[in-house]
Amino acid sequence: MKTGLAASAAIHVAALTWGMWSLSSPHPLDATYSEALPVEIVMGDTFQGVKGEKTAPIREKPAPAPTKKPQTLPMPAENVGDNEADLKTPPVPEVRPNRSETQAASAPPPPPPPPAKTEPAPKPAEPVAKQEPAPEKAPEPKAEPKPKDDPIEEMIADAADSKPEEPTPPAHVPVPVKKPAAPAPQQVAEAKPTPQPSTSKQTSSSKTQADQSSDSKFNADQIAALLSQEKASGGGAKRSTEPAALGSRETTGSVLTRSELGELQGMIKDQMARCWSPPTGGTGADSVKISIKMELDPSGTLQGMPSIVSGGGGSGVERAAAEAALRAVRRCSPYNLPADKYQAWSEVTLNFDPSEMY
Amino acid sequence: MNEVAQSALAAPVGTISLWDLFWQASFIVKLVMLGLLGASVWTWAIIVDKTLLYGRFRRQLNKFENVFWSGQSLEELYHNLSERPASGMGALFVAAMREWKKSFEKGARSPLGLQTRIEKAMDVTLAREIDALESRLGFLATVGSAAPFIGLFGTVIGIMTSFQAIAASKQTNLAVVAPGIAEALLATAIGLVAAIPAVIAYNKLTSDAGKLGNRLEAFADEFSAILSRQIDEKTSR
């Protein structure tokens, strides 16, 4: 019997030792007990307020579609021209025509010199002899303009003569340049013919009127002219180098990184934890899921009534749970959240899910 | 809210090794577990012991039968065997021969009475041998049938205790409930661990003991027939 007992004891000791080792540490189940408050927070549209593409897939950072740049010089060119990029469109004058136009446009605005230029020109030639009495009103203008007239007139004459020529040389592009340039000389030509036919006071009166009118326009036009001296920059597209990603049409706010979003969610959760007690007991109390939408003002106080988005219908238990959740949302009301991210938490959806409690 | 979370975290999640389960159990459950463990140890002791004994016994029977049927004279065989305590067939043979010798030495001349006495002596020895073979098998039968119930008793007590604890702590968190139930179930597990080998071994050992007993009985009958023939030969002279 002794041998049997000894053998049996040995077997049991061995079995128990093995059991201690193999059964001592079962793998814990994937239950997350740390999830104290099962409130899930859905921030409005995270990608709202940042420029991107409406149809593009979601990425970390919203971005508009990248702008395409035509291929530049080191490329097989097929069309004639001096362009950096090989375009099929015929070469068109680029810079000069613009300037001449702006000059032409600005030429009327600096009316103070022009009236003096264009009108005085006839005066000295014809009216000086004839109309000595008349110029009572405008002796000064005459006197002053006269000396100036010659150089300016020459200038204008030069301009009139040269303008048709000017556009051609500056334009990088050869032939068709002349056409756009044409309007500028026309204006000058119009200005010139008028003074020549007008012989008498009419001209002077017209001058004075023109002067007055030009004086009245002076300020605004002058400013416009000054402003327009600046090189005009066109309304080009903002360039994006990143691939297109979901976003809104315009940038209206700052985007939240994921960590910032998580931080915000954590703050709301923590604050909700103080106010919400999950429904206990009752059949199916655990399966009740309620989501509540609330709007907050920048100070963190509740704005308007929080509304139940889903859940809370049906049984009395569910209704009670929904009411409890609503009460919690109201009780917590002044939420303490970072004001600079108000864009993100202005509208918050809370999902209450008691089944995640245990 | 926070209390629940904290207690859930503080609950002994990792401490559910066998030893911890045993140590956290209530007094009665501990007693049940220890008793079942002892029963299991004893069961296995019996199993080992009986297996060895039957092997030895079977070998002795074979050896004796070889010697007995080898043509050796019975007197010589008796001299060899009676010097040391014999078991099995040897014991039967020695008992029968002793009765035979006593009767003839005293000069008793009643053949019928001698025959009866020899058979009685052999019966007694046979009964003793079979008793020795089957001793303690009853314990295996008891463990096999009772151990599950004892384990179940421990489990019921354990679950009762843990439910009382839950009621006292007013928490239904699974982390609070689980260890108590686990330790309670351990009692049933030990009961089953003890009972299953006991039942299997009991069936095996009883059938083995029955076979050995049959062989002994067959030999006793055969030997008594031989002696009866001898008595007839002697008395007829």
Side-chain angles (χ1 to χ4, degrees):
Chain A
M1 204 63 220
K2 276 182 187 170
T3 51
L5 204 57
S8 164
I11 291 170
H12 278 82
V13 167
L16 282 180
T17 319
W18 173 80
M20 290 283 180
W21 281 107
S22 68
L23 303 179
S24 62
S25 56
H27 286 291
L29 297 176
D30 249 352
T32 47
Y33 293 111
S34 56
E35 194 77 318
L37 181 72
V39 177
E40 189 187 334
I41 289 135
V42 183
M43 294 297 176
D45 188 357
T46 319
F47 296 96
Q48 221 168 33
V50 180
K51 189 166 180 168
E53 286 295 312
K54 284 273 182 193
T55 52
I58 294 177
R59 267 184 234 279
E60 187 90 24
K61 232 171 131 187
T67 38
K68 281 171 191 167
K69 216 167 152 187
Q71 201 180 351
T72 48
L73 231 150
M75 64 185 282
E78 293 172 354
N79 303 300
V80 180
D82 294 336
N83 252 342
E84 293 260 310
D86 185 37
L87 302 177
K88 280 187 179 175
T89 47
V92 174
E94 275 180 4
V95 186
R96 278 308 169 112
N98 280 347
R99 273 192 193 160
S100 66
E101 277 176 338
T102 50
Q103 280 178 355
S106 64
K117 296 169 193 169
T118 51
E119 287 150 16
K123 283 173 196 169
E126 301 164 354
V128 171
K130 294 176 185 175
Q131 302 172 350
E132 283 177 343
E136 285 176 358
K137 290 178 184 174
E140 296 167 5
K142 285 175 189 170
E144 286 170 4
K146 278 176 186 172
K148 290 177 188 173
D149 286 346
D150 294 335
I152 295 167
E153 204 177 345
E154 286 169 12
M155 290 273 285
I156 291 166
D158 289 346
D161 295 336
S162 61
K163 265 172 192 172
E165 295 164 10
E166 268 180 18
T168 45
H172 297 275
V173 217
V175 189
V177 177
K178 281 173 184 172
K179 285 173 186 173
Q186 278 177 1
Q187 287 176 353
V188 183
E190 283 172 5
K192 272 193 173 177
T194 42
Q196 286 171 354
S198 69
T199 50
S200 60
K201 298 170 185 176
Q202 292 176 353
T203 55
S204 64
S205 65
S206 68
K207 294 165 204 165
T208 53
Q209 284 172 1
D211 283 350
Q212 286 167 0
S213 65
S214 67
D215 280 340
S216 68
K217 285 177 188 172
F218 177 80
N219 289 329
D221 287 347
Q222 180 71 14
I223 289 163
L226 283 172
L227 286 176
S228 70
Q229 293 297 323
E230 300 281 329
K231 192 180 178 185
S233 61
K238 200 173 181 183
R239 194 147 282 184
S240 165
T241 51
E242 284 170 74
L246 182 67
S248 62
R249 191 173 301 176
E250 289 296 326
T251 299
T252 53
S254 63
V255 68
L256 289 180
T257 63
R258 288 211 178 154
S259 60
E260 279 173 328
L261 188 68
E263 201 183 348
L264 261 185
Q265 287 178 341
M267 290 173 90
I268 297 177
K269 260 190 193 184
D270 284 348
Q271 289 173 46
M272 284 303 305
R274 275 186 271 119
C275 312
W276 189 58
S277 54
T280 50
T283 49
D286 283 359
S287 62
V288 177
K289 286 176 188 170
I290 300 138
S291 63
I292 289 177
K293 193 174 183 180
M294 60 177 184
E295 283 174 32
L296 301 170
D297 71 357
S299 70
T301 28
L302 203 60
Q303 242 182 352
M305 290 284 286
S307 60
I308 299 173
V309 180
S310 70
S315 70
V317 177
E318 270 184 50
R319 227 171 298 135
E323 302 238 320
L326 270 181
R327 243 178 289 125
V329 168
R330 273 197 224 105
R331 205 184 310 153
C332 276
S333 173
Y335 292 89
N336 185 16
L337 297 167
D340 55 330
K341 286 163 195 159
Y342 174 66
Q343 192 81 24
W345 50 265
S346 61
E347 197 180 299
V348 176
T349 305
L350 298 152
N351 289 335
F352 292 84
D353 187 356
S355 70
E356 283 176 30
M357 277 294 295
Y358 308 112
Chain B
M1 187 58 234
N2 281 333
E3 285 168 20
V4 171
Q6 278 166 7
S7 68
L9 285 174
V13 176
T15 59
I16 41 174
S17 69
L18 278 186
W19 177 252
D20 288 317
L21 283 182
F22 170 75
W23 201 243
Q24 288 161 8
S26 65
F27 176 71
I28 296 171
V29 179
K30 261 186 217 167
L31 216 63
V32 166
M33 285 183 192
L34 285 178
L36 286 172
L37 196 68
S40 177
V41 170
W42 189 238
T43 302
W44 277 97
I46 290 168
I47 291 167
V48 172
D49 193 54
K50 288 293 164 192
T51 314
L52 294 177
L53 177 68
Y54 291 174
R56 221 183 312 133
F57 203 87
R58 203 174 291 117
R59 259 177 277 123
Q60 277 179 356
L61 289 193
N62 294 339
K63 203 171 143 194
F64 182 81
E65 278 182 335
N66 284 341
V67 173
F68 187 78
W69 299 112
S70 66
Q72 198 178 7
S73 83
L74 295 181
E75 291 289 332
E76 232 175 280
L77 194 61
Y78 175 68
H79 270 293
N80 286 341
L81 288 172
S82 61
E83 284 166 8
R84 51 197 158 102
S87 68
M89 282 182 189
L92 279 179
F93 174 77
V94 167
M97 283 302 284
R98 191 180 292 131
E99 191 56 43
W100 165 273
K101 279 196 171 270
K102 273 179 192 167
S103 299
F104 274 96
E105 277 166 7
K106 283 175 184 171
R109 287 289 171 176
S110 164
L112 201 69
L114 180 60
Q115 180 80 31
T116 319
R117 278 200 299 282
I118 288 172
E119 279 186 7
K120 286 274 181 204
M122 290 223 304
D123 272 350
V124 169
T125 316
L126 183 69
R128 201 182 297 136
E129 288 298 317
I130 288 177
D131 257 5
L133 281 180
E134 289 184 347
S135 71
R136 300 201 185 105
L137 286 186
F139 182 79
L140 294 189
T142 310
V143 168
S145 59
F149 291 119
I150 298 169
L152 197 61
F153 169 71
T155 297
V156 169
I157 294 287
I159 288 182
M160 226 170 71
T161 319
S162 70
F163 272 134
Q164 280 169 347
I166 291 162
S169 67
K170 288 172 185 166
Q171 287 175 14
T172 55
N173 199 325
L174 196 59
V176 176
V177 180
I181 292 174
E183 78 192 21
L185 289 176
L186 184 64
T188 304
I190 295 176
L192 291 175
V193 164
I196 291 167
V199 170
I200 292 171
Y202 176 74
N203 290 335
K204 173 79 165 66
L205 293 178
T206 32
S207 77
D208 281 1
K211 274 179 206 160
L212 293 173
N214 286 343
R215 271 176 84 174
L216 281 179
E217 266 180 56
F219 172 75
D221 287 348
E222 232 164 355
F223 191 49
S224 109
I226 290 166
L227 286 180
S228 167
R229 197 165 58 240
Q230 294 272 331
I231 290 164
D232 281 355
E233 280 174 12
K234 291 212 172 181
T235 48
S236 62
R237 268 179 213 158

